[in-house]
Amino acid sequence: MKHFTSKLGQKSNQQTSTSNNQSSLFKVQKTLRHGLPFEPTALAYDPIQRTIAVGSKSGSIRVYGKPGVEAFLTHEQEIAIKHLLFSVNEGALISITADDCVHLWNIRQRTPQIVQSLLFKTESINVVKLPIFTHWIYLGTEKGNMFVVNLETLTPSGYDLMWNLAIPKSQKIHPGPVTCIEENPVDPSKVLIGYENGRIIVWNLKSREVVKSYSWDTPLSCVYWLSDVKQFVTGHIEGSVAVWNYTTTKSEDKPIKILKPHEFFGDTSSPQPCGIVNKVAWLSTKADPYLIFTGGVPGTNSSHYITIFHGRKREYLNLKKNIVDFFVVCESPFAKEIQNPSVLVVLLCDDMIGIDLTSANFNTSPVPYSIKVGVSPVTYLSLQSNCPPSLMDDLQRYHTAVPMKNWPIDGGEWGRPVDNNADLAITGHQNGSIRFWDASGVTLYHLYTLHLKHLFDESKVFTDDKESLVGITNVHFCLHGRILVASLTSAQLVIMNWGTQEVIAVTQSLPVFLAQPEFQQFDFDSMEEETVSPTLDSPKPPCTLTTTTEQPTPQQQQHPTTPNPDDQKRANHLLSKFGIEVPSPASTGGDDSKAEPMLHLHNKPLKQSAGLQVFLVVQTISHPNETPGQITCVELSTGWGLLAFGSSLGAVIIDYIQKSILWSQTNADLFHICYPNLKTPLKHTNSKNKKLKISKLGSFNNAFDEEPPRTPRKATQRGKMLSIIRRDKSNESPTSISSHRKARKQGSGGSMDSPNSPNSIASDNDNVEANIFENFLVQRLCFVESYTDKDITGNVTSPRRNPTLWIGSYSGALISQTINIPPGEHRKKIPCQISIGGSPMFLKSPIINISALDHEGSPVSPPCATWCDEARKKKTKTKKRAGDAAGRYSELQSNDYLIVCAEKSILVMKLPSQNSYARQKIFDNTYYLRSEVLSLDNGSCVCLACVSIMGHILFYSLPQLKLIVNIPFFDAGDARSLRTYQCASNGHSIYMCSPTELQTMTLINKNHLLLPESLPMVFTMRDTPEPPRKSFINTIFKRNSVDRMELFGVNAGVASPHLTERILKSYNQEVHAASSEVDKVRDALNERHEKMSELEKRTEQIRLEAENFASASHLLHMKAKEQNKWF
């Protein structure tokens, strides 16, 4: 985003708020990814560290410890993971990807990294096995061969087993790929190897020969040893489970027992073909063993079933989803001991569950992790900051789905918290559920789940896809008032409040009918008259088509669409001249006598548990051959008791206290508010089976389509689209026309037909659509207290801040409606009054956000109610802000600011003058998708964060609107991340990085500095249990023992150089920086060593000279002594 311009308005005499924003304050950094990896493919378990690893099809790995301890790993390339396994209690993780590359991960640090990799060039890995407390990995390939790799150095050993050694010499048929490798728990020198054609061999590692062989004409899929090693069990492709005897000295051709429990599955009396048994486990106890296997059921859903045999008890569990893998938590990590299983953990395609094997009915419980993000497709996402701690506690208290007690996975340790902010994440799902998450730290905790599907009668829905009608599209949750509003895809609005007791009542409904007229196409080019429309380009008050300067009466403000008879006649004459049908007033609008909603509520009383309880449902009704408009935005003010929502058909304001409709306007009515001179009702036509234009509306559901972002919008001529409001020259006075032209020249400085004219509107296509009212669909609503009461000349008529609703449309129109709320006790009796708040204004592109600032530059939000529970009674009171009683409704002392963010521009506007104070425009091929006003450092830093379609995050100071920093963060082709990005007011952000994963991030540099210490550790130092003692005879004669280093080390020779290729991986830039620093230190030490060597040489030379001097002195002394003796 290189091309932008800034337009700063003239400063007023009053002191404007300043901002101390600096670029060093902002730094975009990812924190942690939450949720189950999308399309999981592999599962691993460390029985000593008590950690789980899950691999996915995209190459990402998630490591789970105790609740709150998670780590995210990802490969450099998006490639599927075939196998995962831990080096038990060593802090190492091995992943094998689809390109037959073995990666070694170091998970001893807070940010795990790849140490090195080994690529198999000529073999495709099919099965992998790492025995406990060893450093040698067995790899079985598609060609039927087995290789051994050293884990410490990640180098292949010269020891291998080719497929021709596994079959008799008389047999020349290839056994197929290796499907399973299992080491003998008692004698590690014996390895059980199974092939696809059903052949099983026991390979002696020492003698390099086949000790025993078992063959069956049924293809083999898996194998498992019993702890006493007297028997082993195998699973087969045709759905059978076979038991083999290992103690026999001769090879066998048939198993001693064949189990096929599901061949008479259902009510059939004849055997049916069963599916493959994917995995089998045979676990010993002091009594009867457990036999657990997946699959083996007739039909296409065989992978949904898991079977548990324990003595006479047989349980068939239908999990209704594909089972990827499972493991069993046992008392001992050694397979040769009695294992006594306690919990069965099953990984599904989009979930993970725990099954209590010690319970009578094998109870199923959810796991205590944030993995249920994508159980149902996510259709809505939001993040709210500064959540009251009491609300967090109550959401957790009324949570119905309780995880398994005494969850056995307790590995790792928590990190330090980043800050004390309480963030609440809300996800809406396609099945009508709303989930609440605690996103305060680096981990995500599931707090509460709300289901709305039970409110509606499905028997009256005549469609195959019933679940798509209850999908959540918008959620507005007042944290202090505890009132929630959720909109559904069927154009229903569900309003809920918080209750502490269970209630049984009939749900009340409020129908809303919006009739959408359809405009008929005609020749625009034949019109010669000119159009004048209000714009924001002039710092002066925007001009309108009204020639009188008198102030409109309150009755005219409340009824802005009442036509003038003279104007009506002229408009009808103008429209009929161009072949447009003008119906009679009796036929306009729509008859709601036969209208009905898409979903019908239950007529019977419904039971609602404590928590969020439904007290009103707003139903948008339509004719039987029509569909109601898609709800695009929702705005709530609990302090005023008002609810507003916009749809593809119009906008509605609802008083949910009195349960009445205060204001309802269609798109045509909004069009007439913007251009009040055209009061012609257009003919309403019923479009049969007309589908909702969700892509046109920018619905949140479309954010999950794997399509690239839309092309940049092109400006089109607003003059053609708005030609129907042109007035007849003969009926217009020359004075008024010249004044309009003069005002337009002063305001815009250019012609209306110019592409760069401020009257141009953003559109998806260069051709003007037939129905011009679709461009007036509401995209953004904002409740705020502001100065809006002004006359046609822009003079303020009331010095009070009034409750106001700002409406932003797809065409860029900005409309305000002033709300008169009765005070005190009259609020529940007297209805609120709605009037026009000021002249409409226009931007050149769709409006995506509307926010407000006070005269000090602090964000302004509508008053909210405070919920309290005293003596089991709910009381609400208005939450007053500082300064309300003193100057909120006093005289007009200073200006407020309104921030309007559109796709192609940002505008800061003064209130009540509605003059432009600052502006940012974009001219290159990009536009904004999201924007949010941030309040940082306890409100001392207020800025605007915007996300563009090119993946840039831009920060602007407020209200000056100066660019602080532009950070390229997202990939321009990552449509899901860009369109689901949500930012809280404290700088924390969240977005959907996959259909089942949420990525949290921070925009503040202070949080980035504390991030390394806040990440959890998935590896902790734990004592390794002692293995079972061997018998005295085995210890003396060294039986049932093997020296793998002697077998697979240097004595085994060197592997073929064409087999593998070693790939060394560097850690990251920090490691490079650290290594460079180490090199500098090493160079300094070398230099110091050289200097010390020189000093040592000089010292040695001085010592030698001293010795020579001493010897010479001694000789001189002896010579002098002899001379003295002679005398």
Side-chain angles (χ1 to χ4, degrees):
M1 301 183 59
K2 300 180 180 179
H3 304 287
F4 62 89
T5 62
S6 178
K7 181 179 179 181
L8 191 63
Q10 297 179 358
K11 293 185 178 180
S12 61
N13 296 329
Q14 301 177 354
Q15 184 179 1
T16 59
S17 60
T18 60
S19 177
N20 57 352
N21 296 328
Q22 298 178 358
S23 59
S24 59
L25 182 64
F26 302 95
K27 186 169 184 179
V28 181
Q29 177 69 26
K30 295 180 181 179
T31 53
L32 199 63
R33 187 174 293 190
H34 311 281
L36 191 70
F38 181 57
E39 296 181 347
T41 56
L43 178 67
Y45 171 60
D46 190 334
I48 297 179
Q49 286 290 323
R50 295 294 182 95
T51 53
I52 307 172
V54 179
S56 68
K57 189 176 181 180
S58 62
S60 62
I61 303 174
R62 188 70 48 80
V63 182
Y64 299 96
K66 59 184 175 183
V69 176
E70 299 178 10
F72 175 73
L73 298 73
T74 181
H75 294 80
E76 294 181 356
Q77 299 179 354
E78 291 188 1
I79 189 167
I81 298 175
K82 296 195 299 184
H83 306 282
L84 270 181
L85 61 158
F86 281 103
S87 180
V88 177
N89 204 25
E90 293 290 339
L93 179 67
I94 299 95
S95 63
I96 300 176
T97 54
D99 59 350
D100 302 312
C101 190
V102 183
H103 303 276
L104 177 61
W105 296 81
N106 179 18
I107 60 175
R108 288 176 172 263
Q109 51 192 5
R110 295 187 184 273
T111 306
Q113 298 289 340
I114 294 179
V115 179
Q116 52 187 349
S117 303
L118 182 67
L119 177 64
F120 278 77
K121 298 186 294 184
T122 60
E123 296 280 350
S124 178
I125 301 173
N126 191 49
V127 64
V128 60
K129 178 66 177 179
L130 176 62
I132 189 171
F133 302 138
T134 63
H135 297 89
W136 297 93
I137 311 173
Y138 301 114
L139 299 173
T141 64
E142 293 284 349
K143 296 181 179 180
N145 305 324
M146 187 189 76
F147 300 95
V148 183
V149 175
N150 188 354
L151 177 62
E152 295 178 344
T153 60
L154 210 63
T155 55
S157 171
Y159 192 101
D160 53 16
L161 172 61
M162 298 301 174
W163 66 271
N164 54 354
L165 300 178
I167 60 175
K169 296 181 180 180
S170 60
Q171 184 179 353
K172 296 183 180 180
I173 301 176
H174 194 282
V178 179
T179 57
C180 49
I181 300 176
E182 289 291 335
E183 189 181 70
N184 192 317
V186 177
D187 186 3
S189 63
K190 307 294 190 305
V191 180
L192 197 67
I193 304 173
Y195 295 89
E196 190 179 41
N197 66 346
R199 181 173 179 79
I200 305 172
I201 65 170
V202 179
W203 180 259
N204 192 332
L205 297 175
K206 294 180 179 180
S207 60
R208 299 175 68 97
E209 62 179 356
V210 177
V211 179
K212 297 179 183 180
S213 63
Y214 308 86
S215 60
W216 196 22
D217 55 356
T218 303
L220 181 68
S221 59
C222 53
V223 66
Y224 198 91
W225 284 99
L226 191 62
S227 61
D228 57 2
V229 200
K230 295 180 180 180
Q231 294 176 337
F232 63 90
V233 63
T234 58
H236 298 267
I237 294 179
E238 40 80 11
S240 62
V241 177
V243 180
W244 304 79
N245 194 353
Y246 179 71
T247 57
T248 57
T249 57
K250 298 181 180 180
S251 300
E252 297 182 357
D253 294 337
K254 291 184 179 180
I256 61 176
K257 184 186 293 186
I258 300 175
L259 301 175
K260 204 170 184 180
H262 300 298
E263 62 178 347
F264 296 98
F265 188 79
D267 299 332
T268 59
S269 58
S270 58
Q272 299 179 8
C274 300
I276 182 177
V277 176
N278 296 298
K279 187 175 182 179
V280 63
W282 199 4
L283 307 168
S284 61
T285 62
K286 295 180 180 179
D288 298 325
Y290 284 86
L291 178 63
I292 305 171
F293 62 91
T294 59
V297 178
T300 58
N301 297 329
S302 176
S303 59
H304 295 184
Y305 289 83
I306 186 167
T307 305
I308 304 175
F309 286 3
H310 183 218
R312 296 183 179 179
K313 185 188 300 184
R314 297 187 177 186
E315 191 73 22
Y316 314 109
L317 300 179
N318 182 10
L319 303 182
K320 299 181 181 180
K321 296 175 183 178
N322 291 330
I323 298 175
V324 179
D325 202 350
F326 72 89
F327 68 87
V328 183
V329 179
C330 303
E331 290 182 357
S332 175
F334 301 99
K336 59 183 177 181
E337 289 186 336
I338 296 178
Q339 296 166 327
N340 293 326
S342 58
V343 177
L344 172 64
V345 181
V346 184
L347 175 64
L348 305 176
C349 60
D350 59 357
D351 197 1
M352 184 188 297
I353 62 172
I355 301 174
D356 188 4
L357 298 178
T358 60
S359 61
N361 298 324
F362 300 128
N363 298 328
T364 302
S365 303
V367 296
Y369 302 120
S370 57
I371 62 176
K372 291 186 176 294
V373 175
V375 172
S376 177
V378 180
T379 56
Y380 175 81
L381 176 64
S382 67
L383 182 65
Q384 295 180 262
S385 60
N386 301 324
C387 181
S390 59
L391 178 59
M392 292 277 195
D393 298 337
D394 291 342
L395 288 172
Q396 183 70 29
R397 183 182 302 112
Y398 295 113
H399 183 39
T400 56
V402 181
M404 178 181 295
K405 297 181 179 179
N406 301 324
W407 177 244
I409 310 301
D410 56 358
E413 61 181 13
W414 296 297
R416 295 178 57 185
V418 177
D419 49 24
N420 297 325
N421 292 329
D423 296 338
L424 181 66
I426 302 176
T427 57
H429 299 264
Q430 189 177 2
N431 61 356
S433 63
I434 304 174
R435 297 180 182 270
F436 300 82
W437 310 84
D438 183 4
S440 302
V442 295
T443 55
L444 201 68
Y445 295 96
H446 184 207
L447 296 176
Y448 184 76
T449 302
L450 181 67
H451 297 278
L452 303 180
K453 189 177 180 180
H454 68 282
L455 298 174
F456 305 97
D457 189 0
E458 295 184 357
S459 62
K460 297 182 181 180
V461 180
F462 303 99
T463 179
D464 297 333
D465 192 7
K466 299 180 180 180
E467 189 175 273
S468 62
L469 298 179
V470 295
I472 306 298
T473 58
N474 289 280
V475 176
H476 193 112
F477 188 28
C478 180
L479 301 179
H480 298 279
R482 297 194 182 187
I483 294 180
L484 183 140
V485 179
S487 64
L488 310 181
T489 54
S490 57
Q492 314 277 335
L493 275 172
V494 182
I495 308 175
M496 290 161 280
N497 58 1
W498 190 269
T500 57
Q501 295 181 355
E502 183 181 290
V503 296
I504 301 176
V506 179
T507 305
Q508 299 183 9
S509 63
L510 179 65
V512 176
F513 180 74
L514 291 173
Q516 177 64 49
E518 185 167 325
F519 177 72
Q520 297 180 2
Q521 188 174 8
F522 62 96
D523 188 8
F524 292 101
D525 298 329
S526 61
M527 305 190 71
E528 300 177 355
E529 291 80 2
E530 294 184 350
T531 304
V532 179
S533 60
T535 65
L536 285 174
D537 286 345
S538 175
K540 297 181 179 181
C543 61
T544 60
L545 291 179
T546 306
T547 57
T548 178
T549 58
E550 296 181 359
Q551 182 179 351
T553 62
Q555 290 79 10
Q556 293 175 350
Q557 291 181 352
Q558 294 181 8
H559 304 282
T561 59
T562 304
N564 187 359
D566 297 336
D567 293 340
Q568 180 71 41
K569 293 179 181 179
R570 289 195 298 268
N572 293 345
H573 172 72
L574 178 63
L575 292 175
S576 61
K577 185 171 62 175
F578 294 100
I580 304 176
E581 180 183 359
V582 182
S584 60
S587 62
T588 60
D591 183 13
D592 59 348
S593 59
K594 298 181 180 180
E596 59 181 9
M598 296 184 66
L599 290 176
H600 295 269
L601 295 173
H602 283 288
N603 296 326
K604 59 182 180 180
L606 297 178
K607 178 181 178 181
Q608 301 186 56
S609 59
L612 288 171
Q613 300 171 347
V614 180
F615 73 92
L616 181 63
V617 176
V618 179
Q619 295 183 301
T620 304
I621 59 178
S622 61
H623 291 287
N625 57 353
E626 290 183 344
T627 55
Q630 178 81 22
I631 295 178
T632 56
C633 53
V634 177
E635 183 70 7
L636 174 68
S637 176
T638 57
W640 299 333
L642 299 179
L643 166 67
F645 71 91
S647 70
S648 60
L649 300 181
V652 180
I653 302 178
I654 294 174
D655 184 355
Y656 65 83
I657 295 179
Q658 299 184 8
K659 298 179 181 179
S660 61
I661 301 174
L662 299 178
W663 183 81
S664 176
Q665 299 289 323
T666 63
N667 292 340
D669 297 331
L670 297 177
F671 177 82
H672 292 153
I673 291 176
C674 296
Y675 304 98
N677 289 318
L678 181 65
K679 307 299 181 183
T680 306
L682 300 180
K683 182 179 180 180
H684 174 73
T685 58
N686 297 330
S687 56
K688 298 182 179 180
N689 300 326
K690 185 177 181 180
K691 297 183 179 179
L692 297 176
K693 294 189 176 181
I694 299 179
S695 59
K696 175 79 173 181
L697 305 178
S699 173
F700 195 82
N701 299 332
N702 247 16
F704 301 97
D705 297 339
E706 294 295 339
E707 296 179 357
R710 55 181 175 173
T711 56
R713 300 180 182 271
K714 296 182 179 180
T716 58
Q717 298 178 1
R718 182 191 292 264
K720 288 187 177 181
M721 190 191 72
L722 304 182
S723 296
I724 60 172
I725 65 170
R726 297 176 179 176
R727 309 187 65 176
D728 195 354
K729 292 182 179 180
S730 60
N731 297 330
E732 188 72 61
S733 63
T735 305
S736 61
I737 294 178
S738 60
S739 61
H740 291 329
R741 290 179 177 178
K742 182 177 180 181
R744 189 185 61 177
K745 289 181 180 180
Q746 294 177 356
S748 60
S751 114
M752 182 174 295
D753 294 335
S754 173
N756 296 328
S757 171
N759 296 320
S760 60
I761 185 171
S763 175
D764 290 333
N765 302 314
D766 292 334
N767 297 328
V768 181
E769 297 182 0
N771 191 352
I772 65 172
F773 301 124
E774 287 187 0
N775 292 283
F776 276 81
L777 59 90
V778 179
Q779 285 209 151
R780 187 69 179 178
L781 298 171
C782 179
F783 276 124
V784 69
E785 289 179 332
S786 60
Y787 302 107
T788 54
D789 290 347
K790 49 181 292 187
D791 57 15
I792 202 66
T793 62
N795 298 322
V796 179
T797 60
S798 174
R800 295 164 55 91
R801 287 187 174 94
N802 298 319
T804 307
L805 175 66
W806 291 92
I807 305 172
S809 68
Y810 181 82
S811 63
L814 184 64
I815 305 171
S816 61
Q817 296 292 322
T818 303
I819 308 170
N820 185 10
I821 301 177
E825 298 178 354
H826 302 286
R827 174 66 181 86
K828 297 182 179 180
K829 300 179 181 178
I830 302 176
C832 302
Q833 301 295 327
I834 310 295
S835 60
I836 296 180
S839 301
M841 294 156 286
F842 290 94
L843 276 76
K844 297 182 181 181
S845 56
I847 297 175
I848 61 175
N849 188 20
I850 304 174
S851 303
L853 303 178
D854 59 10
H855 66 281
E856 296 179 353
S858 300
V860 177
S861 58
C864 61
T866 302
W867 182 90
C868 60
D869 183 19
E870 297 177 359
R872 297 290 181 179
K873 292 182 180 180
K874 185 186 72 173
K875 299 179 181 180
T876 57
K877 57 182 180 180
T878 303
K879 184 181 178 183
K880 296 183 179 180
R881 292 165 295 186
D884 283 355
R888 173 63 60 178
Y889 294 107
S890 60
E891 295 181 0
L892 177 61
Q893 299 178 355
S894 59
N895 292 317
D896 289 347
Y897 300 94
L898 188 72
I899 295 94
V900 183
C901 184
E903 291 188 354
K904 299 292 292 184
S905 62
I906 307 173
L907 175 69
V908 176
M909 182 175 57
K910 283 185 178 182
L911 294 179
S913 62
Q914 297 184 1
N915 291 335
S916 175
Y917 177 75
R919 174 175 292 184
Q920 286 282 354
K921 295 182 180 180
I922 305 176
F923 292 107
D924 54 358
N925 295 329
T926 184
Y927 55 90
Y928 295 122
L929 287 175
R930 295 284 186 271
S931 66
E932 185 69 28
V933 176
L934 306 182
S935 179
L936 310 176
D937 288 344
N938 298 323
S940 61
C941 176
V942 180
C943 62
L944 179 67
C946 301
V947 179
S948 69
I949 193 65
M950 304 305 294
H952 293 234
I953 301 179
L954 301 94
F955 298 92
Y956 295 96
S957 63
L958 290 178
Q960 293 81 9
L961 211 62
K962 293 182 179 179
L963 180 64
I964 301 174
V965 64
N966 183 353
I967 302 176
F969 184 77
F970 294 103
D971 187 6
D974 191 0
R976 174 177 284 106
S977 299
L978 289 172
R979 297 191 179 276
T980 60
Y981 175 82
Q982 299 291 327
C983 181
S985 60
N986 59 356
H988 294 179
S989 305
I990 191 171
Y991 63 90
M992 295 289 299
C993 54
S994 74
T996 60
E997 293 176 284
L998 290 172
Q999 176 70 55
T1000 55
M1001 54 186 290
T1002 178
L1003 307 178
I1004 311 302
N1005 193 14
K1006 179 181 65 175
N1007 296 339
H1008 168 70
L1009 299 177
L1010 301 176
L1011 182 61
E1013 297 182 0
S1014 64
L1015 295 177
M1017 287 282 295
V1018 295
F1019 176 82
T1020 56
M1021 299 301 298
R1022 295 195 177 188
D1023 296 334
T1024 302
E1026 296 183 359
R1029 294 183 179 181
K1030 299 179 181 179
S1031 62
F1032 178 75
I1033 297 177
N1034 292 336
T1035 304
I1036 294 298
F1037 295 99
K1038 295 183 179 181
R1039 295 179 180 177
N1040 301 334
S1041 62
V1042 60
D1043 188 357
R1044 293 183 177 85
M1045 182 59 69
E1046 182 180 355
L1047 286 176
F1048 308 140
V1050 181
N1051 298 333
V1054 181
S1056 173
H1058 303 287
L1059 177 64
T1060 60
E1061 178 183 355
R1062 189 178 180 185
I1063 304 174
L1064 296 177
K1065 299 289 182 179
S1066 59
Y1067 282 94
N1068 47 23
Q1069 296 180 357
E1070 287 80 4
V1071 176
H1072 284 294
S1075 62
S1076 62
E1077 294 295 333
V1078 171
D1079 293 338
K1080 292 180 181 179
V1081 174
R1082 186 186 298 108
D1083 295 338
L1085 289 175
N1086 292 335
E1087 184 179 357
R1088 181 176 180 273
H1089 177 69
E1090 292 177 358
K1091 293 182 179 181
M1092 292 296 294
S1093 300
E1094 293 178 1
L1095 182 60
E1096 185 179 359
K1097 291 179 180 180
R1098 293 179 60 187
T1099 305
E1100 183 67 20
Q1101 184 178 0
I1102 293 174
R1103 186 184 64 81
L1104 293 176
E1105 292 178 356
E1107 289 180 354
N1108 293 335
F1109 180 76
S1111 60
S1113 300
H1114 180 68
L1115 292 175
L1116 183 61
H1117 173 70
M1118 293 302 295
K1119 184 177 181 181
K1121 187 177 181 180
E1122 289 178 357
Q1123 290 180 357
N1124 292 336
K1125 187 184 293 186
W1126 181 79
F1127 285 111

